[in-house]
């Protein structure tokens, strides 16, 4: 195995959005056991440095593969459609309207019950976007279309953090 292998090759899992989290966790633990620097203590400092590089590479891949947003962005990039969220903020008008409505609701809601209801609506949309990403990436094989859904999921995750932070302040 090469340090340059993509994350899916490294973890020996299919190159697709849908992943089995338990399988990823098991594979991560196994790879970490194989690459742990302590296993190479008798082989000297150079071997331990290489093992440390492997350990870091395995952890980076695991962080990308276990997170639906990072995994989707990574798949888009691997398939020639980088997300470029910093440079491309174009979103469909309907999604922009939805964002504004959510933002108004967040600003106007001062009760835990209201915030929990908003969180439920946002969570449902998050699941819908993740299902659409699975369809676009795994079935339609359309990473260019998936890029817009990745950007939508980025907003949803940031907004969820804001809702949760406000909820934490109230409770």
């Amino acid at each position: 195995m090469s340090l340059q292998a993509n994350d899916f090759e490294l973890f020996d899992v299919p190159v697709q959005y849908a992943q089995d989290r338990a399988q990823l966790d098991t594979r991560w633990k196994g790879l970490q056991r194989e690459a742990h620097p302590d296993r190479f203590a008798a082989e000297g400092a150079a071997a331990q440095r290489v093992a440390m590089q492997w350990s870091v590479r395995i952890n980076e891949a695991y962080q990308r593969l276990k997170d639906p947003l990072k995994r989707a962005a990574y798949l888009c990039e691997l398939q020639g459609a980088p997300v470029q969220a910093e440079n491309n903020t174009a979103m469909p008008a309907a999604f922009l309207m939805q964002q504004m409505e959510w933002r108004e609701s967040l600003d106007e809601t001062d009760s835990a019950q209201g915030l929990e209801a908003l969180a439920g609506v946002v969570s449902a949309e998050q699941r819908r976007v993740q299902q659409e990403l699975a369809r676009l990436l795994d079935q339609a094989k359309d990473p260019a279309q998936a890029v817009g859904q990745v950007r939508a999921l980025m907003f949803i995750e940031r907004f969820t953090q804001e809702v949760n932070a406000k909820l934490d302040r109230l409770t």
Side-chain angles (χ1 to χ4, degrees), residues 1-21:
M1 187 60 64
S2 163
L3 283 172
Q4 279 69 45
N6 75 46
D7 296 351
F8 298 95
E9 293 167 344
L10 181 62
F11 272 69
D12 194 25
V13 296
V15 181
Q16 64 185 30
Y17 182 73
Q19 293 293 328
D20 178 341
R21 177 63 188 268

Side-chain angles (χ1 to χ4, degrees), residues 1 8 21 35 47 49 53 58 72 96 106-107 113:
M1 187 60 64
F8 298 95
R21 177 63 188 268
R49 277 193 300 279
Q53 288 176 322
I58 291 163
L96 294 173
L106 180 61
D107 291 342
Q113 184 178 6

Side-chain angles (χ1 to χ4, degrees), residues 89-114:
T89 58
M91 295 298 289
F95 187 74
L96 294 173
M97 291 298 295
Q98 183 181 49
Q99 286 181 33
M100 290 188 329
E101 289 172 13
W102 286 352
R103 183 97 19 229
E104 284 176 19
S105 292
L106 180 61
D107 291 342
E108 294 170 359
T109 303
D110 290 324
S111 72
Q113 184 178 6

